[in-house]
Amino acid sequence: RPANRLDLLTISSPENLQRDASASAADGRRLPVVFVSARVHPGESPSSFMMHGLLEFLLSDEPAAVRLRALCLLKLVPMLNPDGVFLGNYRCSSLGMDLNRHWQTPSEWASPTILALKGYMERYARSACWSPSVCLDLHAHSTATGGFLFCNSRGDPATFEREAAFPRALSSVAPDFAFSSAKF
């Protein structure tokens, strides 16, 4: 089976990159870490364009990008299913599996990229320096127009406002996205 490389990019301020490399927080605070992935479904090529635009913004001198790099650590996986993309598949890996259905119990054999990213996320969840705060998995849809989000929710009214914060903020700055299109 093919085994193409899985790239993971880290973007942040020099201070946060040093903090990440040393795995220690002198100030005792846990800063947010944001994970963004794309192309778990190989045929959803618009997610690559979204990732490209995100990378251009995050690496820019825009004040919002500079502030974001200072506030958190960003971990980006531009292509979560490189084997499927290489083979020209639409939704599946080189083994014919939809990797998006493997998050609960990923395996080295069937879903190595999901296993690797999930393990990486779990290490950050246990870190004394970092607190995973957002995980975005970029997709595209063959018939839907505009942007939409499917959001994990605990179903707890006490935490709903925290879970809804990103969709609300996105709807205030992105004309192609409406908060009402988010599914919790």
Side-chain angles (χ1 to χ4, degrees):
R1 89 183 154 98
N4 290 292
R5 186 180 78 205
L6 178 68
D7 292 322
L8 178 116
L9 310 173
T10 303
I11 299 173
S12 197
S13 67
E15 297 79 19
N16 287 343
L17 293 173
Q18 178 59 38
R19 178 189 186 108
D20 191 40
S22 68
S24 65
D27 59 9
R29 295 182 305 135
R30 293 182 77 206
L31 297 179
V33 60
V34 173
F35 292 92
V36 183
S37 63
R39 297 296 288 274
V40 72
H41 294 141
E44 296 178 359
S45 54
S47 67
S48 285
F49 291 100
M50 291 185 282
M51 179 64 78
H52 182 83
L54 178 62
L55 283 166
E56 281 187 336
F57 168 72
L58 292 173
L59 296 172
S60 76
D61 291 329
E62 290 283 334
V66 172
R67 179 97 172 115
L68 192 57
R69 292 191 307 261
L71 292 174
C72 64
L73 188 70
L74 299 120
K75 298 285 186 175
L76 291 85
V77 178
M79 192 174 295
L80 193 52
N81 187 351
D83 293 343
V85 171
F86 176 78
L87 293 171
N89 293 344
Y90 185 72
R91 285 189 68 85
C92 61
S93 68
S94 61
L95 298 175
M97 298 187 186
D98 182 344
L99 296 182
N100 219 31
R101 304 294 176 253
H102 284 247
W103 283 99
Q104 288 289 60
T105 54
S107 74
E108 179 65 36
W109 177 81
S111 49
T113 58
I114 301 296
L115 181 68
L117 183 55
K118 185 175 180 180
Y120 205 67
M121 291 172 165
E122 288 170 345
R123 280 199 310 268
Y124 276 89
R126 293 186 305 268
S127 165
C129 304
W130 305 103
S131 175
S133 60
V134 175
C135 176
L136 296 174
D137 184 22
L138 305 177
H139 287 262
H141 196 279
S142 60
T143 59
T145 59
F148 58 93
L149 292 173
F150 288 113
C151 308
N152 291 337
S153 178
R154 293 183 183 95
D156 176 13
T159 60
F160 177 76
E161 284 307 313
R162 184 172 188 273
E163 294 162 350
F166 178 73
R168 283 190 203 286
L170 185 59
S171 70
S172 72
V173 297
D176 291 332
F177 178 78
F179 180 76
S180 60
S181 68
K183 307 280 187 271
F184 292 89

